[in-house]
Amino acid sequence: MSAMVVRKPANLLLDEIGVPYDDVCDEYVVIKHAALFTSTIMSKVLQAPNVKLFNATAAEDMILKKDEKTACGMRLNGVVTNWSLVTQNHDTQSCMDPNVMESKVVVYASGHDGPMGASGVKRLQRLGMLPAIPGMGGLDMNAAEDSIVEGTCEIIPGMVVCGMEVAEVFGSPRMGPTFGAMFVSGQKAAAIALEVLERLEAAEPSTAVVEQHGGDLRTAVM
């Protein structure tokens, strides 16, 4: 199953980066090999002068500092990283000192629940910074695509969530074998990250406020 189904209008990203596809119908396109997309977009990203790739590295915690300018009184200031094998085997091997990566904004896209999935929002819940996380709902591709894009947001000051981690937070349906929402959610997350950086440069307060309405999480922009 190497072919990749991409729901429109995410094919516009494929046009931008130069990935060929078959325009099958009004709703989606098909890429001959999924690896064609992943290898192409990785090569485009890694050619940028300000990008560094860390292999076999996991973000196992986050840096949180007090910030009276934010609604929740805290801001995410980076992540704590370690070798992936160490992070996944803390119970069975010696711990190693982690590394710290400070940043002005972090985009969390660690996927749905699993050994390394939804790690950002689960950590926030354990710290009491998010209400109970419902986890993703059952599969409904048509509802999931729009819901994941809509839910992509700055969930706490300095932290943007996108992709299937959004479904874990808001209880959105899980996705099937289409990738349109993944592409568009990532693009939206990038746009939000740029807005965060612009606010910080202008010394404006963050607008990220997470509230709970009837058991459902929503981000209110104030």
Side-chain angles (χ1 to χ4, degrees):
M1 296 180 65
S2 63
M4 188 178 197
V5 178
V6 178
R7 194 180 297 266
K8 294 180 178 179
N11 60 304
L12 298 177
L13 174 64
L14 303 178
D15 294 335
E16 182 180 339
I17 64 176
V19 173
Y21 56 81
D22 293 327
D23 196 342
V24 178
C25 65
D26 292 339
E27 294 184 357
Y28 61 87
V29 302
V30 177
I31 304 172
K32 181 172 61 174
H33 297 291
L36 178 59
F37 167 76
T38 54
S39 61
T40 301
I41 197 165
M42 285 293 287
S43 68
K44 298 286 186 181
V45 170
L46 294 175
Q47 288 178 51
N50 58 345
V51 170
K52 184 171 179 61
L53 173 67
F54 291 88
N55 288 316
T57 302
E60 64 178 22
D61 206 348
M62 52 186 65
I63 305 167
L64 290 165
K65 296 182 180 180
K66 292 182 179 180
D67 189 340
E68 296 179 355
K69 296 179 181 179
T70 66
C72 64
M74 302 287 287
R75 171 175 288 280
L76 183 69
N77 287 95
V79 294
V80 179
T81 68
N82 215 325
W83 296 111
S84 296
L85 288 176
V86 174
T87 298
Q88 295 181 66
N89 292 280
H90 274 312
D91 296 333
T92 58
Q93 68 177 47
S94 301
C95 290
M96 293 177 63
D97 288 337
N99 295 309
V100 170
M101 293 186 185
E102 293 187 313
S103 65
K104 296 178 180 178
V105 60
V106 174
V107 177
Y108 257 91
S110 57
H112 54 68
D113 199 7
M116 302 294 289
S119 59
V121 295
K122 287 190 291 187
R123 180 64 171 138
L124 290 179
Q125 181 185 4
R126 289 195 297 270
L127 292 171
M129 298 183 67
L130 285 183
I133 297 171
M136 64 180 177
L139 188 145
D140 184 342
M141 287 187 293
N142 293 325
E145 295 265 331
D146 291 341
S147 178
I148 288 169
V149 175
E150 180 184 353
T152 301
C153 64
E154 184 188 16
I155 196 163
I156 66 165
M159 176 177 169
V160 181
V161 290
C162 65
M164 287 307 298
E165 192 157 6
V166 171
E168 290 292 326
V169 181
F170 298 118
S172 304
R174 70 179 297 153
M175 283 181 55
T178 63
F179 295 88
M182 297 296 97
F183 296 177
V184 180
S185 176
Q187 290 177 297
K188 182 179 178 182
I192 294 172
L194 289 174
E195 292 175 1
V196 173
L197 293 173
E198 290 172 358
R199 285 202 311 267
L200 290 174
E201 290 179 0
E204 295 177 357
S206 173
T207 58
V209 181
V210 177
E211 297 179 347
Q212 189 170 19
H213 299 284
D216 188 23
L217 284 167
R218 286 292 180 265
T219 298
V221 178
M222 303 181 68

